[in-house]
Amino acid sequence: MTNLSPHNWLDWAVQPPYLHPPYTSTVKRSPRSSLIPLGQSLAELTGPKFGEGDIHRLDNDLTKNSVQDGEPLGERIIVNGRLLDDSGKPIPNSLIEVWQANAAGRYWHKKDQHNAPLDPNFHGSGRVLTNKNGVYRFTTIRPGAYPWPNHYNAWRPSHIHFSVFGVNFLQRMVTQMYFPNDPLLSLDPIYNSTPNEAARQQLIAIYDHEVTQPNWALGFRFDIVVCGPRQTPFE
Ligand SMILES: [Fe+2]
């Protein structure tokens, strides 16, 4: 029988638990008491809504939205996919925010002191709205792997962070997209905190030759399901 959270929409057969000791940060941050559901008012369930006016024209191109003096370094990629509800119905006009390390595996953040170069032409953040068919698409640089202090010789597999607003403002979900055939995936406690192999596979983008553009960029597809039996694992 499926074990549902107090919010009644997270399926713990596929979602990572709050406490996963191999991912050491969860030991301190996971809740010690039962969660208390908060009531939702009509205003929260119906708005605010995002629209084209909230998006800058370069927000969906991370290779251009922070350029100083040239092209960012690395392998240019196009990521696209659909945002879906539990019945497979596309969710239009939803805001998706993304952030990531640069090609050398370094974040544009003062706390990231990894000994790898910053790229002055790549800050690694963007956002995009899904269209009327629930489809999103953005251009970026394939992120590099980076070390982290979770355990000895720990390296995060290449990934892009996603924050997704669902059918209303209260459905904000955060997840990570990985790349196919990455040897670091099987060693990664965050990826492995998702308990179900089929659900873990949902976190890996698929190479998309239809989206790949000649002499320009490789394409990847990453569909996101916000609820239901095929729900994407979230953090
Ligand atoms: Fe990251």
Side-chain angles (χ1 to χ4, degrees):
M1 182 177 165
T2 300
N3 179 22
L4 294 174
S5 81
H7 297 290
N8 210 32
W9 60 271
L10 282 173
D11 183 346
W12 294 108
V14 299
Q15 295 294 334
Y18 295 125
L19 175 61
H20 182 67
Y23 178 12
T24 56
S25 299
T26 67
V27 174
K28 281 190 176 171
R29 78 178 187 207
S30 56
R32 293 286 179 272
S33 306
S34 300
L35 301 188
I36 302 171
L38 294 175
Q40 299 171 359
S41 69
L42 187 61
E44 290 166 323
L45 293 172
T46 56
K49 297 282 188 197
F50 299 106
E52 289 297 335
D54 300 309
I55 300 289
H56 186 274
R57 67 180 178 84
L58 292 181
D59 278 351
N60 68 351
D61 191 342
L62 285 69
T63 68
K64 291 193 166 54
N65 67 11
S66 52
V67 161
Q68 300 285 320
D69 56 9
E71 296 275 336
L73 297 175
E75 180 184 337
R76 192 182 297 110
I77 61 173
I78 298 165
V79 180
N80 80 116
R82 294 174 303 158
L83 187 63
L84 303 166
D85 70 10
D86 54 342
S87 62
K89 199 169 129 218
I91 303 175
N93 301 316
S94 279
L95 183 69
I96 297 178
E97 299 168 310
V98 293
W99 65 98
Q100 62 168 94
N102 68 20
R106 176 102 183 248
Y107 282 98
W108 194 274
H109 192 284
K110 61 177 185 265
K111 280 196 169 173
D112 188 347
Q113 296 299 314
H114 171 206
N115 183 14
L118 287 170
D119 184 341
N121 296 305
F122 187 81
H123 288 183
S125 62
R127 53 191 189 160
V128 61
L129 277 181
T130 59
N131 68 14
K132 66 178 177 6
N133 298 315
V135 174
Y136 72 89
R137 178 184 175 112
F138 64 91
T139 304
T140 187
I141 296 292
R142 182 171 176 140
Y146 59 80
W148 63 311
N150 189 75
H151 57 274
Y152 174 72
N153 209 9
W155 290 78
R156 293 296 331 280
S158 295
H159 60 277
I160 299 177
H161 296 268
F162 278 65
S163 165
V164 179
F165 287 91
V167 292
N168 68 53
F169 190 65
L170 289 183
Q171 283 187 344
R172 178 174 182 264
M173 288 159 265
V174 177
T175 191
Q176 298 182 29
M177 182 200 102
Y178 299 94
F179 291 84
N181 305 313
D182 190 329
L184 294 173
L185 282 171
S186 63
L187 302 170
D188 183 53
I190 297 181
Y191 174 74
N192 286 319
S193 66
T194 293
N196 178 295
E197 173 60 23
R200 284 195 292 274
Q201 290 297 319
Q202 284 179 254
L203 296 172
I204 303 175
I206 298 166
Y207 170 67
D208 189 338
H209 200 62
E210 297 293 310
V211 168
T212 294
Q213 294 188 5
N215 306 314
W216 182 249
L218 291 181
F220 290 92
R221 189 173 80 245
F222 182 58
D223 291 340
I224 301 166
V225 184
V226 298
C227 51
R230 288 277 298 160
Q231 186 182 46
T232 301
F234 297 101
E235 293 181 43

